[in-house]
């Protein structure tokens, strides 16, 4: 509300046509002896307060209408008007008096008045002088009711904004957890478009075991029409970060993908972290939010967003249950490493790998949810470079029974066998048998490496073969995988 404007559009004295003509001044001068009566009449007709002041601004009489119910005006007579207003508004009073002395009438100003007991009220006050040397009549309309309405309106508006942003934040939290748990993520070398690392979701998109993707070319996972666009967009990501939505054919199936690349450095090497997300062009806004909320609240996998040192900022109900906490608030702010790994060194290594390579995956990691706990979990961590600041998304999946063979049989070997069986009648039996043999060999090598802590010598001993034979088998499978991303891959 403008401090100098008239909120009512017209002055309290709008019925007077005042100018400097002698006739008008003389007519108003005749009313000077009736100033107190005029003030009283004004409070009854059109104002809530009227003051009669002399030329020096001293109050001669007071006529209080509704204002008299809010503040005590009895001791105002004989005081200067400037004495009953706040210090910061005395300039307004002097300006109003100066204007009425010079022009005979002032425009409206918003001025607060107070009494000796600390009560205060805001009025829109204008003034008129009754004759050239007559008294000044100042009349005001109470703005407290208008101010109260404005304050209620502002409070309602602020509450609506708080609810809106709270809802938006709530939705963003669920969408971030949803993306951390479901997005296919690949780390790609932009120089030759080779895949440095990939997560299980990416393996599902391309229909190949995760180990098979490492070293393979990203473009081989897409149809020919999409390859040029994907390559150009990946290289462009080095200078800009934008999400591209494209329809691409992967494994003979046309998919709608949100392709989101972001560059980061591993030491002196520049890499691109690519997120692939299924999207439905017709599913926007609330539809996506509902899907995200439903997934995050129902998935049995624990999902967490942490800062770069592992402190939890967001967690889904499954992770809260894994931590045996009552609510997300009980674990947010704590380090995820309080539950993961045999010791702090193991957890620090996971964080280092995520920050350096863009992602890290561990199977059969110790989960510390109690003094006698021997629970094992599979953990996947992905760098979220598109958040500010950079965060890490973790998924924690309990291993059924803690048994390596049952875990891999369900998630790796079982998937590969299903894919081979699906080719019956389309591919000759000798080729399927060779592929099945390679798949089982790859599976055994993966299990041996996992059980030996990625120690090739120990893995060879577990398999009952020499280190040379072990290395040759790995190399043969790796070379076979490099020939194309679509086939089954070798152990890493």
């Amino acid at each position: 509300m403008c401090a100098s404007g008239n909120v009512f559009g017209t002055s309290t004295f709008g019925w007077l046509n005042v100018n400097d003509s002698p006739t008008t001044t003389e007519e108003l001068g005749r009313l000077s002896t009736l100033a107190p009566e005029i003030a009283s009449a004004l409070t009854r007709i059109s104002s809530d307060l009227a003051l009669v002041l002399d030329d020096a601004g001293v109050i001669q009489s007071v006529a209080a209408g509704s204002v008299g119910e809010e503040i005590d005006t009895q001791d105002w007579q004989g005081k200067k008007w400037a004495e009953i207003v706040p210090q910061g508004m005395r300039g307004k009073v002097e300006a109003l008096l100066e204007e009425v002395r010079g022009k005979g009438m002032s425009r409206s100003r918003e001025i607060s008045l107070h009494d000796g007991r600390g009560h205060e009220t805001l009025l829109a006050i204008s003034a008129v002088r009754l004759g050239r040397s007559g008294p000044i009549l100042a009349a005001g309309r109470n703005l407290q009711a208008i101010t109260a309405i404005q304050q209620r309106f502002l409070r309602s508006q602020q509450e609506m904004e708080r609810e809106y942003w709270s809802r938006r934040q709530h939705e963003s939290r669920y969408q971030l957890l949803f993306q951390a748990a479901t997005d296919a993520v690949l780390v790609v070398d932009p120089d030759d478009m080779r895949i440095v690392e990939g997560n299980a979701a990416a393996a599902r998109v391309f229909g190949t075991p995760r180990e098979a993707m490492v070293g393979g070319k990203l473009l081989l996972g897409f149809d020919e029409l999409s390859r040029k666009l994907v390559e150009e967009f990946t290289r462009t990501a080095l200078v800009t970060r934008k999400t591209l939505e494209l329809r691409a054919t992967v494994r003979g199936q046309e998919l709608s993908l949100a392709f989101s690349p972001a560059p980061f450095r591993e030491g002196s090497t520049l890499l691109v972290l690519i997120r692939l997300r299924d999207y439905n062009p017709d599913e926007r806004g609330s539809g996506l939010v509902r899907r995200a909320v439903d997934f995050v609240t129902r998935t049995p996998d624990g999902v967490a967003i942490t800062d770069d040192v592992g402190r939890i900022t967001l967690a889904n109900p499954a992770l809260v249950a894994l931590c045996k906490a009552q609510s997300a608030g009980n674990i947010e702010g704590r380090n995820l490493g309080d539950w993961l790994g045999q010791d702090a060194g193991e957890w620090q290594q996971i964080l280092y790998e995520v920050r350096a390579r863009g992602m890290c995956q561990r199977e059969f990691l110790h989960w510390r949810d109690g003094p006698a706990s021997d629970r094992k979990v599979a953990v996947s961590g992905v760098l979220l470079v598109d958040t500010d600041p950079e965060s890490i998304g973790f998924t924690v999946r309990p291993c059924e029974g803690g048994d390596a063979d049952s875990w891999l049989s369900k998630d790796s070997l079982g998937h590969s066998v299903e894919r081979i069986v699906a080719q019956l009648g389309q591919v000759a039996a000798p080729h399927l048998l060779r592929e099945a043999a390679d798949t089982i060999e790859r599976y055994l090598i993966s299990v041996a490496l996992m059980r030996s802590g990625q120690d090739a010598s120990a893995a060879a001993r577990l398999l009952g073969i020499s280190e040379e034979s072990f290395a040759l088998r790995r190399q043969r499978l790796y070379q076979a995988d490099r020939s194309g991303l679509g086939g089954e891959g070798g152990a890493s």
Side-chain angles (χ1 to χ4, degrees), residues 141-190:
R141 292 176 176 174
N142 193 351
L143 297 180
Q144 289 299 102
I146 295 175
T147 302
I149 292 172
Q150 287 179 328
Q151 289 175 344
R152 285 198 297 271
F153 173 75
L154 287 174
R155 283 195 296 269
S156 298
Q157 189 176 40
Q158 290 168 353
E159 182 64 28
M160 288 174 62
E161 289 180 357
R162 280 194 296 269
E163 289 180 2
Y164 170 77
W165 288 113
S166 176
R167 187 173 68 252
R168 284 291 300 272
Q169 185 182 40
H170 182 72
E171 293 173 355
S172 297
R173 289 163 66 95
Y174 273 104
Q175 288 189 55
L176 190 57
L177 287 168
F178 177 69
Q179 291 171 15
T182 62
D183 280 5
V185 182
L186 297 163
V187 178
V188 175
D189 185 337

Side-chain angles (χ1 to χ4, degrees), residues 30 67 98 108 132 153 163 177 189 217-218 226 289 318 333 344 348 402 436 476:
R30 293 171 187 165
V67 171
E98 188 67 27
S108 178
R132 291 186 181 279
F153 173 75
E163 289 180 2
L177 287 168
D189 185 337
K217 281 205 170 186
L218 170 67
S226 303
V289 172
Q348 290 303 319
R476 180 180 62 80

Side-chain angles (χ1 to χ4, degrees), residues 43 47-49 64-71 141-142:
T43 59
S47 68
D48 300 306
L49 175 74
S66 64
V67 171
E69 301 173 4
E70 300 176 12
I71 55 177
R141 292 176 176 174
N142 193 351

